[in-house]
Amino acid sequence: MIGGGQLARMTHQAAIALGQCLRVLAASESDPAAQVSADIVLGSHDELDDLRRAAAGAAALTFDHEGVPLAHLEALEAEGVAVLPPSKALHFAQDKLAMRVRLAELGLPVPAFADLAGDREAARARLVEFGEANEWEIVIKAVRGGYDGRGVWLVDGADEALAVFDEYPSDAPALLAEQKVPMRRELSAMIARSPFGQGAAWPVVETIQRHGQCAVVLAPAPDLSDEVAERAQQMALRLADELGVVGVMAMELFETVDGELVVNELAMRPHNSGHWTMDGAVTSQFEQHLRAVLDYPLGNTAPTSPLTVMANILGAPEAPEMSMDERLHHLMARMPEAKVHLYGKGERRDRKIGHVNVVGRQGESMESVRERAERAAQWMSHATWTDGWDVHS
Amino acid sequence: MIGGGQLARMTHQAAIALGQCLRVLAASESDPAAQVSADIVLGSHDELDDLRRAAAGAAALTFDHEGVPLAHLEALEAEGVAVLPPSKALHFAQDKLAMRVRLAELGLPVPAFADLAGDREAARARLVEFGEANEWEIVIKAVRGGYDGRGVWLVDGADEALAVFDEYPSDAPALLAEQKVPMRRELSAMIARSPFGQGAAWPVVETIQRHGQCAVVLAPAPDLSDEVAERAQQMALRLADELGVVGVMAMELFETVDGELVVNELAMRPHNSGHWTMDGAVTSQFEQHLRAVLDYPLGNTAPTSPLTVMANILGAPEAPEMSMDERLHHLMARMPEAKVHLYGKGERRDRKIGHVNVVGRQGESMESVRERAERAAQWMSHATWTDGWDVHS
């Protein structure tokens, strides 16, 4: 697996049960996955030779992020490496513009968008035209490289939009503008696909974002009709098939105020919106990703409980009064049923350093499960508990 | 953790979620735990200096087997190492005679037994006396070092018993004789105890032995009255408290034909009878062992499903027609809900190389869950499926 972050760490955990050890290409021995796996290759995902060293002798090459240059992956494929998902699919997870163009071609619902690449003057004119056509209810995004809110500008009106465009460095990844969809909430449809096309979908979940990053996941999405849930799953399965995805894929969706679904983002790797599966589903997204890329039949995706809530643990602000370890002691004493997953990362304000899953008890309401999960995560994040579920605000 | 076997391997898996990496003292880099952990100390559990190297800087020293010489542990304790469980408790898991004497002192039910240590002539006379008093319905056991059926002789009558005694090498661990209890079945009460005495018990399970080793575990033990189950849990919790155990402890019990409980063996470490907790309980025995020895509050031991069955995967006889990997492919295709745990061990006939957990569906019978689990494990063991649940017979 290319990348030594928490996704690789948790994939290694799943690999152990399958009788395997996950080899990880990590930047440093202190990376979350490098701390715990016996098979580490130190190097950079930007260096073809490092990628080659990581791939040597491995059954398949896969990823915990979207950062590997496509040209390197194509070179590896030409050398016979089983790159999974393949570069032709991964391209659409790396490049938001290509993704939107392809989805629109396939008739899948995407927000209206405008390409802001190429000649600056022409692109600026397209931004103005697109902005006016949408009454400046738009978002500007970098075509590649963004995550957890980076590379996304929620602009308020023409002046802000044009300022973002004008100040944007010319050597950075291209921009696109997108219509701001009047939405009710965000959903995620997580699926897996094997090399020969077997597909499996987990229940569709609701994701709650804070400060541009996923904070809480409700599984399954409350009050979602079976019809809409199945539509989301089928869209994700169909797209994975059309693109030739191998592994797990998260399709992030907006549910609009009038009940329509619009595709927001794609991730072709284990995803924050799938962490609940570690304790709340028969097969976790990490085991499933390994099954898919190693070409084993896929595991059962049924939930093990009617309700599970995942909440991210964020790094505390500078110099917390209570150490992480003390906080963990108190949480375990207070909630012996909370499933805590820590990533071995140093604390830094608002950095994702772990998550908590709370699996609902028989007959418990989503409100109650969510309160327990959020309370646990906020405690671990050293945040003050508020009714408004606000972390470090 | 001293020992690089599957118990250490699965403890490392649990350590990852707690933000830790398990350091393992392993004999070889190919040991099951050494294959997957980033922190390996190569050495022998018989060498005090190797134990010292493993303990250096660790929060606590714990075990995946009973083989470490007690004198070494006492030396480490004198040097300030947190040996958990402490030597004074571990002594009773290492020495079956000391265990029986201590349990009898505490008023806990043990089978009648006779000490066969010391002067050979005198010991032989005690064996004859004990045998006759019990109509030769006896078992002979090595006081230490036995596991998975080794060090236990199920003798049929006086001649066989005396032959075992007479042929037993004089430099091997001492022997004891024990009354063969007329039993209905075997049970296991698994508990955990923290340094300050917090205790937690999982549901009592039924264990099914084949060829002297644990083959199948039914969780919870079918048709066990609440009263007997609670008695077993309380015996285990009380004993752990009396002995000062820290960590998990399995108390293996006989349920006699007249419904009484008799203590058979003790293990002060994760145990085969607790593998079902990995998929069938809120907190697995591996996470719980870490919580206890690292002095975190203990986790919830509630089952996540009314029924879970664990079945061991054994190594195939020589030159199996189908490789382990092919068998795994077929199993995953046939039973996408089976949870397979492989230990990274080479195949050898009847060697424990993994296990399967099957978690029961709502309303499913124990018979049905057991059939699925046994079918999966026997398939993986390359055994012929028989109604008699017989493996490699």
Side-chain angles (χ1 to χ4, degrees), chain B residues 314-392:
Chain B
L314 304 181
E318 298 292 288
E321 278 168 48
M322 211 181 273
S323 75
M324 187 73 181
D325 196 53
E326 280 175 279
R327 276 134 63 197
L328 183 57
H329 269 267
H330 286 285
L331 175 65
M332 285 179 166
R334 171 75 185 267
M335 284 192 208
E337 77 285 7
K339 301 309 295 176
V340 178
H341 300 270
L342 298 176
Y343 307 154
K345 287 161 94 170
E347 289 207 67
R348 207 164 58 206
R349 188 187 168 98
D350 290 345
R351 183 188 206 193
K352 286 180 189 171
I353 57 171
H355 68 271
V356 180
N357 285 332
V358 173
V359 178
R361 305 185 191 106
Q362 200 64 36
E364 193 178 6
S365 71
M366 180 60 93
E367 197 176 15
S368 160
V369 184
R370 178 176 170 176
E371 177 165 341
R372 289 196 287 140
E374 289 240 33
R375 209 179 268 276
Q378 293 195 24
W379 172 260
M380 288 300 291
S381 306
H382 211 282
T384 312
W385 172 256
T386 63
D387 287 338
W389 318 103
D390 212 359
V391 175
H392 300 165

Side-chain angles (χ1 to χ4, degrees), chain A residues 30-94:
Chain A
S30 64
D31 281 3
Q35 290 170 31
V36 297
S37 170
D39 195 357
I40 299 304
V41 176
L42 290 178
S44 165
H45 61 262
D46 283 328
E47 296 295 331
L48 182 53
D49 277 344
D50 293 347
L51 295 169
R52 280 195 187 107
R53 283 192 297 128
L61 185 80
T62 189
F63 313 93
D64 97 331
H65 61 68
E66 280 90 24
V68 184
L70 215 60
H72 288 354
L73 297 179
E74 287 161 354
L76 292 168
E77 284 168 342
E79 292 166 17
V81 175
V83 176
L84 297 171
S87 63
K88 73 178 166 74
L90 201 62
H91 171 52
F92 299 101
Q94 290 188 340

Side-chain angles (χ1 to χ4, degrees), chain A residues 38, chain B residues 4 9 25-37 40-43 344:
Chain B
R9 182 182 174 103
L25 178 69
S28 145
E29 283 180 2
S30 64
D31 281 3
Q35 290 171 30
V36 297
S37 170
I40 299 303
V41 176
L42 290 178

Side-chain angles (χ1 to χ4, degrees), chain A residues 91-155:
Chain A
H91 171 52
F92 299 101
Q94 290 188 340
D95 184 320
K96 293 184 207 291
L97 181 64
M99 185 269 279
R100 278 159 184 74
V101 170
R102 187 84 180 92
L103 263 67
E105 281 171 11
L106 292 169
L108 289 166
V110 286
F113 62 92
D115 177 2
L116 304 182
D119 178 79
R120 296 279 287 193
E121 278 309 299
R124 196 175 199 278
R126 284 197 298 280
L127 172 58
V128 170
E129 187 188 5
F130 183 77
E132 284 173 356
N134 289 282
E135 295 173 336
W136 293 100
E137 289 293 318
I138 66 167
V139 182
I140 298 178
K141 294 183 176 179
V143 159
R144 56 173 67 237
Y147 66 96
D148 281 356
R150 274 168 268 198
V152 175
W153 294 267
L154 304 166
V155 291

